[in-house]
Amino acid sequence: MIKLANKSDLPRQGFVAVAVVLASILTAFDIRTAIIGLADLRGAFGLSFDEGAWLSTFATAPQILAAPSVGWLIAVFGVKKVMTGPVALYSAVSVLIPFQHTFEILAAMHAIRAVVLGMFVGATLMIAFRNLDRKYWIFALAFYVLRIPFAQNLGLYTAGSYTQSIGWQWLYWQGALIAPMVGILFWYGAKPVVTDRELLSRADWGGMVLFGVALTTLYFALDQGNRLDWFRSGLVVSLMVATGFLVLVFLWHEAHVQHPWAHVLVLCSRNVALGFAAIACFMTTSLGSSLLEPNFLVSVARLRPEQIGDFSASLAILLLLIATVSAVVLVRTIKQRATLILGFTCFIVSAWLGTQLTNLWSLPEFRLIVVLQTFGEELVFLAAVATLFSNVNPARAVSLTAYVQVMRLICSETVATTMTTWIRQREQLHSNLTGLHLTGTTPGWNSMLAHLGSGSSAGSASPDAVKRGLGLLATTVQREANVLAYIDGYWITFVAAIAGLVVVSLMAPSPPHPLTTR
């Protein structure tokens, strides 16, 4: 039986709920705006292309260093002791970064900031479950999920608006304003906790360090892989080998330590394993809105970030609220499997619409895709995470939280970098295949170039006109090759959504759980 909250507890629980929402959205929003605004940041800091790429990696990869273990730390020490210092550190670093111009200092400060950001999201679920009444867990989880489409949609608009209006510095200062609010809410909302000496005495420090370092090393390899051409780079190969070695040592350590922190046996439950598989399918098929659409609009439609986010900025709040409420209602009524089916169906339809892409598409043509993707993201991720927690042994919930962070960061980075590589290689293939049929021996070659260069059907075949025509033809071929590559990308998301339905069909009914019962 679920115990109702005392009236005196309601303000405290309200503080925690608001803090969880702000922390989740702040992290996703911060990362998204930094990625979108990277070109402007390179110019502001005076960085080369390679330095900018490394800065982006240092701003994201260290998130995974502490994120898996923060749930355990909160279980032992409590929210106030774990989160107060990092919140203050994050705010201070965010204020100072715009005043730095040395690459080494910038990289170090971005790495520190990333570690704290990882702690924010890693802490949200554990804080909600330990401080809110069970009947409110589903709402906390829903807002945890909300951060994904919120950051994808509004992050584009905000990043572009900052750099074009009030200044690129606000890409950092926005977090410095919000983070202290999160810290204050956690301080007054979290329950008083006495340090759990027994759990502390059984601490698996070795496992936490090995796990965090291994995943951070892997993230560095993934984030730099596409730029350095993967296994043709000695650095990427070295990072991959180091990751493999550290993972093997971690698995051996967890199998032999007396009290393992994140034993892999937590993944042996049928529904837990399938739940993680559903999340992997979700992360792949959701690339339609997070990667394919914005990149197409930038590379083909030639729009700036604030223009891409224009539609989302006007309707995103209402759309996200409707999608979130719908997800909660469906998980509570028709349960997780049916909700997953509806969500993946939304992804299938949106991916199929994306395969109809042409070079004439702009914002209006993507609106239905954005709506379907938003509903799909809310329905699938909420139902999948609810499936994980409703099927895990409560004694291993902390271990499960660690692996959720792995899926959130490592899996998302893996599918994103893989898709980026796929799009790049498919564009090269389509460009090459198209170019094979456009050569000097093609009938009417010179007259076609002259026509393109002069802009008139009666244009003369002057050398200047032919030269201009050749440049215009090359641009056209590249544009069409990009369109075909993005169509191929949408087909990948379509297949991933179908695979998600197959995964759901293998799931067994989940037992009753506070997340899914009223």
Side-chain angles (χ1 to χ4, degrees), residues 21-51:
V21 173
L22 288 178
S24 299
I25 293 178
L26 169 63
T27 305
F29 203 70
D30 203 318
I31 296 169
R32 182 67 167 168
T33 53
I35 292 173
I36 298 301
L38 179 60
D40 296 296
L41 293 177
R42 284 207 314 265
F45 291 126
L47 304 177
S48 65
F49 179 83
D50 288 343
E51 288 175 333

PDB file of all heavy atoms in Angstrom, residues 21-51:
ATOM      1  N   VAL A  21      13.205  18.363 -12.417  1.00  0.00           N
ATOM      2  CA  VAL A  21      12.869  18.854 -13.755  1.00  0.00           C
ATOM      3  C   VAL A  21      13.948  19.800 -14.264  1.00  0.00           C
ATOM      4  O   VAL A  21      14.440  19.667 -15.395  1.00  0.00           O
ATOM      5  CB  VAL A  21      11.491  19.555 -13.744  1.00  0.00           C
ATOM      6  CG1 VAL A  21      11.226  20.219 -15.088  1.00  0.00           C
ATOM      7  CG2 VAL A  21      10.382  18.564 -13.411  1.00  0.00           C
ATOM      8  N   LEU A  22      14.334  20.763 -13.433  1.00  0.00           N
ATOM      9  CA  LEU A  22      15.326  21.748 -13.855  1.00  0.00           C
ATOM     10  C   LEU A  22      16.682  21.096 -14.134  1.00  0.00           C
ATOM     11  O   LEU A  22      17.356  21.438 -15.117  1.00  0.00           O
ATOM     12  CB  LEU A  22      15.480  22.827 -12.781  1.00  0.00           C
ATOM     13  CG  LEU A  22      14.331  23.819 -12.627  1.00  0.00           C
ATOM     14  CD1 LEU A  22      14.622  24.795 -11.492  1.00  0.00           C
ATOM     15  CD2 LEU A  22      14.105  24.589 -13.932  1.00  0.00           C
ATOM     16  N   ALA A  23      17.097  20.158 -13.278  1.00  0.00           N
ATOM     17  CA  ALA A  23      18.398  19.509 -13.454  1.00  0.00           C
ATOM     18  C   ALA A  23      18.423  18.692 -14.745  1.00  0.00           C
ATOM     19  O   ALA A  23      19.418  18.716 -15.494  1.00  0.00           O
ATOM     20  CB  ALA A  23      18.714  18.618 -12.264  1.00  0.00           C
ATOM     21  N   SER A  24      17.339  17.965 -15.021  1.00  0.00           N
ATOM     22  CA  SER A  24      17.286  17.142 -16.231  1.00  0.00           C
ATOM     23  C   SER A  24      17.332  18.001 -17.484  1.00  0.00           C
ATOM     24  O   SER A  24      18.096  17.739 -18.420  1.00  0.00           O
ATOM     25  CB  SER A  24      16.014  16.294 -16.231  1.00  0.00           C
ATOM     26  OG  SER A  24      15.979  15.432 -15.124  1.00  0.00           O
ATOM     27  N   ILE A  25      16.499  19.040 -17.494  1.00  0.00           N
ATOM     28  CA  ILE A  25      16.430  19.903 -18.678  1.00  0.00           C
ATOM     29  C   ILE A  25      17.712  20.708 -18.844  1.00  0.00           C
ATOM     30  O   ILE A  25      18.213  20.885 -19.962  1.00  0.00           O
ATOM     31  CB  ILE A  25      15.199  20.824 -18.584  1.00  0.00           C
ATOM     32  CG1 ILE A  25      13.918  19.988 -18.685  1.00  0.00           C
ATOM     33  CG2 ILE A  25      15.236  21.878 -19.675  1.00  0.00           C
ATOM     34  CD1 ILE A  25      12.643  20.792 -18.548  1.00  0.00           C
ATOM     35  N   LEU A  26      18.277  21.179 -17.733  1.00  0.00           N
ATOM     36  CA  LEU A  26      19.504  21.971 -17.804  1.00  0.00           C
ATOM     37  C   LEU A  26      20.621  21.184 -18.471  1.00  0.00           C
ATOM     38  O   LEU A  26      21.324  21.709 -19.352  1.00  0.00           O
ATOM     39  CB  LEU A  26      19.938  22.391 -16.398  1.00  0.00           C
ATOM     40  CG  LEU A  26      21.337  23.011 -16.279  1.00  0.00           C
ATOM     41  CD1 LEU A  26      21.411  24.311 -17.065  1.00  0.00           C
ATOM     42  CD2 LEU A  26      21.708  23.234 -14.820  1.00  0.00           C
ATOM     43  N   THR A  27      20.779  19.925 -18.098  1.00  0.00           N
ATOM     44  CA  THR A  27      21.865  19.124 -18.647  1.00  0.00           C
ATOM     45  C   THR A  27      21.707  18.932 -20.149  1.00  0.00           C
ATOM     46  O   THR A  27      22.636  19.192 -20.925  1.00  0.00           O
ATOM     47  CB  THR A  27      21.913  17.756 -17.950  1.00  0.00           C
ATOM     48  OG1 THR A  27      22.016  17.948 -16.541  1.00  0.00           O
ATOM     49  CG2 THR A  27      23.101  16.953 -18.434  1.00  0.00           C
ATOM     50  N   ALA A  28      20.530  18.459 -20.560  1.00  0.00           N
ATOM     51  CA  ALA A  28      20.309  18.213 -21.986  1.00  0.00           C
ATOM     52  C   ALA A  28      20.377  19.503 -22.784  1.00  0.00           C
ATOM     53  O   ALA A  28      20.951  19.553 -23.881  1.00  0.00           O
ATOM     54  CB  ALA A  28      18.955  17.535 -22.185  1.00  0.00           C
ATOM     55  N   PHE A  29      19.810  20.569 -22.230  1.00  0.00           N
ATOM     56  CA  PHE A  29      19.776  21.852 -22.915  1.00  0.00           C
ATOM     57  C   PHE A  29      21.185  22.422 -23.060  1.00  0.00           C
ATOM     58  O   PHE A  29      21.557  22.948 -24.111  1.00  0.00           O
ATOM     59  CB  PHE A  29      18.904  22.812 -22.103  1.00  0.00           C
ATOM     60  CG  PHE A  29      18.340  23.948 -22.901  1.00  0.00           C
ATOM     61  CD1 PHE A  29      17.365  23.715 -23.852  1.00  0.00           C
ATOM     62  CD2 PHE A  29      18.768  25.242 -22.689  1.00  0.00           C
ATOM     63  CE1 PHE A  29      16.836  24.754 -24.584  1.00  0.00           C
ATOM     64  CE2 PHE A  29      18.245  26.292 -23.413  1.00  0.00           C
ATOM     65  CZ  PHE A  29      17.275  26.049 -24.364  1.00  0.00           C
ATOM     66  N   ASP A  30      21.971  22.305 -22.001  1.00  0.00           N
ATOM     67  CA  ASP A  30      23.335  22.836 -22.005  1.00  0.00           C
ATOM     68  C   ASP A  30      24.180  22.155 -23.070  1.00  0.00           C
ATOM     69  O   ASP A  30      24.892  22.796 -23.853  1.00  0.00           O
ATOM     70  CB  ASP A  30      23.956  22.628 -20.631  1.00  0.00           C
ATOM     71  CG  ASP A  30      25.096  23.595 -20.361  1.00  0.00           C
ATOM     72  OD1 ASP A  30      25.882  23.819 -21.278  1.00  0.00           O
ATOM     73  OD2 ASP A  30      25.181  24.122 -19.255  1.00  0.00           O
ATOM     74  N   ILE A  31      24.104  20.833 -23.115  1.00  0.00           N
ATOM     75  CA  ILE A  31      24.898  20.071 -24.081  1.00  0.00           C
ATOM     76  C   ILE A  31      24.460  20.381 -25.504  1.00  0.00           C
ATOM     77  O   ILE A  31      25.266  20.587 -26.408  1.00  0.00           O
ATOM     78  CB  ILE A  31      24.777  18.564 -23.788  1.00  0.00           C
ATOM     79  CG1 ILE A  31      25.389  18.247 -22.418  1.00  0.00           C
ATOM     80  CG2 ILE A  31      25.457  17.749 -24.876  1.00  0.00           C
ATOM     81  CD1 ILE A  31      25.088  16.864 -21.934  1.00  0.00           C
ATOM     82  N   ARG A  32      23.147  20.431 -25.714  1.00  0.00           N
ATOM     83  CA  ARG A  32      22.620  20.664 -27.054  1.00  0.00           C
ATOM     84  C   ARG A  32      23.021  22.045 -27.582  1.00  0.00           C
ATOM     85  O   ARG A  32      23.465  22.182 -28.726  1.00  0.00           O
ATOM     86  CB  ARG A  32      21.092  20.544 -27.019  1.00  0.00           C
ATOM     87  CG  ARG A  32      20.395  20.722 -28.354  1.00  0.00           C
ATOM     88  CD  ARG A  32      20.707  19.602 -29.294  1.00  0.00           C
ATOM     89  NE  ARG A  32      19.825  19.586 -30.440  1.00  0.00           N
ATOM     90  CZ  ARG A  32      20.004  18.864 -31.526  1.00  0.00           C
ATOM     91  NH1 ARG A  32      21.065  18.083 -31.605  1.00  0.00           N
ATOM     92  NH2 ARG A  32      19.162  18.894 -32.538  1.00  0.00           N
ATOM     93  N   THR A  33      22.871  23.062 -26.754  1.00  0.00           N
ATOM     94  CA  THR A  33      23.203  24.418 -27.213  1.00  0.00           C
ATOM     95  C   THR A  33      24.697  24.564 -27.478  1.00  0.00           C
ATOM     96  O   THR A  33      25.106  25.257 -28.409  1.00  0.00           O
ATOM     97  CB  THR A  33      22.764  25.466 -26.181  1.00  0.00           C
ATOM     98  OG1 THR A  33      23.314  25.140 -24.889  1.00  0.00           O
ATOM     99  CG2 THR A  33      21.252  25.526 -26.081  1.00  0.00           C
ATOM    100  N   ALA A  34      25.522  23.889 -26.673  1.00  0.00           N
ATOM    101  CA  ALA A  34      26.967  23.969 -26.885  1.00  0.00           C
ATOM    102  C   ALA A  34      27.360  23.321 -28.209  1.00  0.00           C
ATOM    103  O   ALA A  34      28.227  23.826 -28.934  1.00  0.00           O
ATOM    104  CB  ALA A  34      27.708  23.306 -25.728  1.00  0.00           C
ATOM    105  N   ILE A  35      26.730  22.187 -28.546  1.00  0.00           N
ATOM    106  CA  ILE A  35      27.037  21.504 -29.805  1.00  0.00           C
ATOM    107  C   ILE A  35      26.596  22.351 -30.996  1.00  0.00           C
ATOM    108  O   ILE A  35      27.336  22.526 -31.970  1.00  0.00           O
ATOM    109  CB  ILE A  35      26.355  20.124 -29.843  1.00  0.00           C
ATOM    110  CG1 ILE A  35      26.989  19.195 -28.796  1.00  0.00           C
ATOM    111  CG2 ILE A  35      26.460  19.502 -31.227  1.00  0.00           C
ATOM    112  CD1 ILE A  35      26.286  17.872 -28.648  1.00  0.00           C
ATOM    113  N   ILE A  36      25.384  22.899 -30.909  1.00  0.00           N
ATOM    114  CA  ILE A  36      24.866  23.707 -32.012  1.00  0.00           C
ATOM    115  C   ILE A  36      25.689  24.981 -32.191  1.00  0.00           C
ATOM    116  O   ILE A  36      25.937  25.434 -33.304  1.00  0.00           O
ATOM    117  CB  ILE A  36      23.385  24.056 -31.775  1.00  0.00           C
ATOM    118  CG1 ILE A  36      22.543  22.775 -31.723  1.00  0.00           C
ATOM    119  CG2 ILE A  36      22.859  24.987 -32.856  1.00  0.00           C
ATOM    120  CD1 ILE A  36      22.608  21.937 -32.974  1.00  0.00           C
ATOM    121  N   GLY A  37      26.123  25.560 -31.089  1.00  0.00           N
ATOM    122  CA  GLY A  37      26.873  26.809 -31.155  1.00  0.00           C
ATOM    123  C   GLY A  37      28.371  26.638 -31.284  1.00  0.00           C
ATOM    124  O   GLY A  37      29.119  27.605 -31.112  1.00  0.00           O
ATOM    125  N   LEU A  38      28.835  25.411 -31.609  1.00  0.00           N
ATOM    126  CA  LEU A  38      30.272  25.142 -31.633  1.00  0.00           C
ATOM    127  C   LEU A  38      31.016  26.028 -32.629  1.00  0.00           C
ATOM    128  O   LEU A  38      32.108  26.534 -32.327  1.00  0.00           O
ATOM    129  CB  LEU A  38      30.515  23.667 -31.957  1.00  0.00           C
ATOM    130  CG  LEU A  38      31.989  23.237 -32.041  1.00  0.00           C
ATOM    131  CD1 LEU A  38      32.691  23.481 -30.715  1.00  0.00           C
ATOM    132  CD2 LEU A  38      32.097  21.770 -32.456  1.00  0.00           C
ATOM    133  N   ALA A  39      30.434  26.231 -33.803  1.00  0.00           N
ATOM    134  CA  ALA A  39      31.115  27.070 -34.803  1.00  0.00           C
ATOM    135  C   ALA A  39      31.318  28.486 -34.285  1.00  0.00           C
ATOM    136  O   ALA A  39      32.397  29.081 -34.476  1.00  0.00           O
ATOM    137  CB  ALA A  39      30.301  27.082 -36.099  1.00  0.00           C
ATOM    138  N   ASP A  40      30.315  29.027 -33.617  1.00  0.00           N
ATOM    139  CA  ASP A  40      30.454  30.373 -33.054  1.00  0.00           C
ATOM    140  C   ASP A  40      31.463  30.391 -31.912  1.00  0.00           C
ATOM    141  O   ASP A  40      32.195  31.370 -31.734  1.00  0.00           O
ATOM    142  CB  ASP A  40      29.095  30.877 -32.573  1.00  0.00           C
ATOM    143  CG  ASP A  40      28.104  31.043 -33.714  1.00  0.00           C
ATOM    144  OD1 ASP A  40      28.344  31.881 -34.584  1.00  0.00           O
ATOM    145  OD2 ASP A  40      27.098  30.318 -33.727  1.00  0.00           O
ATOM    146  N   LEU A  41      31.507  29.322 -31.130  1.00  0.00           N
ATOM    147  CA  LEU A  41      32.465  29.258 -30.031  1.00  0.00           C
ATOM    148  C   LEU A  41      33.897  29.180 -30.549  1.00  0.00           C
ATOM    149  O   LEU A  41      34.808  29.771 -29.958  1.00  0.00           O
ATOM    150  CB  LEU A  41      32.158  28.039 -29.140  1.00  0.00           C
ATOM    151  CG  LEU A  41      30.847  28.095 -28.361  1.00  0.00           C
ATOM    152  CD1 LEU A  41      30.641  26.807 -27.578  1.00  0.00           C
ATOM    153  CD2 LEU A  41      30.820  29.293 -27.428  1.00  0.00           C
ATOM    154  N   ARG A  42      34.098  28.451 -31.647  1.00  0.00           N
ATOM    155  CA  ARG A  42      35.448  28.404 -32.222  1.00  0.00           C
ATOM    156  C   ARG A  42      35.914  29.803 -32.618  1.00  0.00           C
ATOM    157  O   ARG A  42      37.066  30.176 -32.390  1.00  0.00           O
ATOM    158  CB  ARG A  42      35.459  27.501 -33.467  1.00  0.00           C
ATOM    159  CG  ARG A  42      35.425  26.028 -33.183  1.00  0.00           C
ATOM    160  CD  ARG A  42      36.085  25.235 -34.297  1.00  0.00           C
ATOM    161  NE  ARG A  42      35.658  25.658 -35.620  1.00  0.00           N
ATOM    162  CZ  ARG A  42      34.675  25.104 -36.319  1.00  0.00           C
ATOM    163  NH1 ARG A  42      33.991  24.089 -35.793  1.00  0.00           N
ATOM    164  NH2 ARG A  42      34.367  25.537 -37.522  1.00  0.00           N
ATOM    165  N   GLY A  43      35.003  30.561 -33.216  1.00  0.00           N
ATOM    166  CA  GLY A  43      35.365  31.924 -33.591  1.00  0.00           C
ATOM    167  C   GLY A  43      35.608  32.813 -32.388  1.00  0.00           C
ATOM    168  O   GLY A  43      36.545  33.618 -32.374  1.00  0.00           O
ATOM    169  N   ALA A  44      34.766  32.657 -31.349  1.00  0.00           N
ATOM    170  CA  ALA A  44      34.894  33.502 -30.165  1.00  0.00           C
ATOM    171  C   ALA A  44      36.194  33.228 -29.415  1.00  0.00           C
ATOM    172  O   ALA A  44      36.838  34.154 -28.904  1.00  0.00           O
ATOM    173  CB  ALA A  44      33.698  33.282 -29.245  1.00  0.00           C
ATOM    174  N   PHE A  45      36.588  31.939 -29.335  1.00  0.00           N
ATOM    175  CA  PHE A  45      37.807  31.587 -28.608  1.00  0.00           C
ATOM    176  C   PHE A  45      39.046  31.592 -29.497  1.00  0.00           C
ATOM    177  O   PHE A  45      40.161  31.387 -29.008  1.00  0.00           O
ATOM    178  CB  PHE A  45      37.656  30.203 -27.966  1.00  0.00           C
ATOM    179  CG  PHE A  45      36.665  30.154 -26.836  1.00  0.00           C
ATOM    180  CD1 PHE A  45      35.617  29.240 -26.837  1.00  0.00           C
ATOM    181  CD2 PHE A  45      36.771  31.013 -25.752  1.00  0.00           C
ATOM    182  CE1 PHE A  45      34.707  29.188 -25.797  1.00  0.00           C
ATOM    183  CE2 PHE A  45      35.865  30.970 -24.708  1.00  0.00           C
ATOM    184  CZ  PHE A  45      34.824  30.056 -24.733  1.00  0.00           C
ATOM    185  N   GLY A  46      38.856  31.779 -30.801  1.00  0.00           N
ATOM    186  CA  GLY A  46      39.993  31.779 -31.717  1.00  0.00           C
ATOM    187  C   GLY A  46      40.620  30.409 -31.870  1.00  0.00           C
ATOM    188  O   GLY A  46      41.848  30.283 -31.909  1.00  0.00           O
ATOM    189  N   LEU A  47      39.811  29.364 -31.995  1.00  0.00           N
ATOM    190  CA  LEU A  47      40.305  27.999 -32.075  1.00  0.00           C
ATOM    191  C   LEU A  47      40.311  27.500 -33.512  1.00  0.00           C
ATOM    192  O   LEU A  47      39.476  27.901 -34.332  1.00  0.00           O
ATOM    193  CB  LEU A  47      39.424  27.061 -31.229  1.00  0.00           C
ATOM    194  CG  LEU A  47      39.257  27.422 -29.753  1.00  0.00           C
ATOM    195  CD1 LEU A  47      38.315  26.438 -29.080  1.00  0.00           C
ATOM    196  CD2 LEU A  47      40.604  27.431 -29.040  1.00  0.00           C
ATOM    197  N   SER A  48      41.230  26.606 -33.818  1.00  0.00           N
ATOM    198  CA  SER A  48      41.244  25.937 -35.118  1.00  0.00           C
ATOM    199  C   SER A  48      40.131  24.886 -35.150  1.00  0.00           C
ATOM    200  O   SER A  48      39.489  24.607 -34.134  1.00  0.00           O
ATOM    201  CB  SER A  48      42.595  25.265 -35.352  1.00  0.00           C
ATOM    202  OG  SER A  48      42.786  24.209 -34.406  1.00  0.00           O
ATOM    203  N   PHE A  49      39.944  24.285 -36.322  1.00  0.00           N
ATOM    204  CA  PHE A  49      38.901  23.258 -36.444  1.00  0.00           C
ATOM    205  C   PHE A  49      39.188  22.085 -35.517  1.00  0.00           C
ATOM    206  O   PHE A  49      38.287  21.585 -34.825  1.00  0.00           O
ATOM    207  CB  PHE A  49      38.804  22.770 -37.895  1.00  0.00           C
ATOM    208  CG  PHE A  49      37.766  21.698 -38.092  1.00  0.00           C
ATOM    209  CD1 PHE A  49      36.434  22.033 -38.275  1.00  0.00           C
ATOM    210  CD2 PHE A  49      38.121  20.355 -38.067  1.00  0.00           C
ATOM    211  CE1 PHE A  49      35.469  21.043 -38.443  1.00  0.00           C
ATOM    212  CE2 PHE A  49      37.170  19.354 -38.238  1.00  0.00           C
ATOM    213  CZ  PHE A  49      35.843  19.709 -38.430  1.00  0.00           C
ATOM    214  N   ASP A  50      40.443  21.621 -35.495  1.00  0.00           N
ATOM    215  CA  ASP A  50      40.802  20.488 -34.640  1.00  0.00           C
ATOM    216  C   ASP A  50      40.637  20.828 -33.160  1.00  0.00           C
ATOM    217  O   ASP A  50      40.139  20.009 -32.374  1.00  0.00           O
ATOM    218  CB  ASP A  50      42.243  20.055 -34.910  1.00  0.00           C
ATOM    219  CG  ASP A  50      42.381  19.353 -36.251  1.00  0.00           C
ATOM    220  OD1 ASP A  50      41.352  18.920 -36.800  1.00  0.00           O
ATOM    221  OD2 ASP A  50      43.512  19.255 -36.759  1.00  0.00           O
ATOM    222  N   GLU A  51      41.059  22.028 -32.774  1.00  0.00           N
ATOM    223  CA  GLU A  51      40.891  22.439 -31.376  1.00  0.00           C
ATOM    224  C   GLU A  51      39.415  22.523 -31.007  1.00  0.00           C
ATOM    225  O   GLU A  51      39.022  22.136 -29.897  1.00  0.00           O
ATOM    226  CB  GLU A  51      41.570  23.786 -31.148  1.00  0.00           C
ATOM    227  CG  GLU A  51      43.091  23.724 -31.147  1.00  0.00           C
ATOM    228  CD  GLU A  51      43.730  25.095 -31.034  1.00  0.00           C
ATOM    229  OE1 GLU A  51      43.087  26.092 -31.452  1.00  0.00           O
ATOM    230  OE2 GLU A  51      44.869  25.177 -30.534  1.00  0.00           O
TER     231      GLU A  51
END
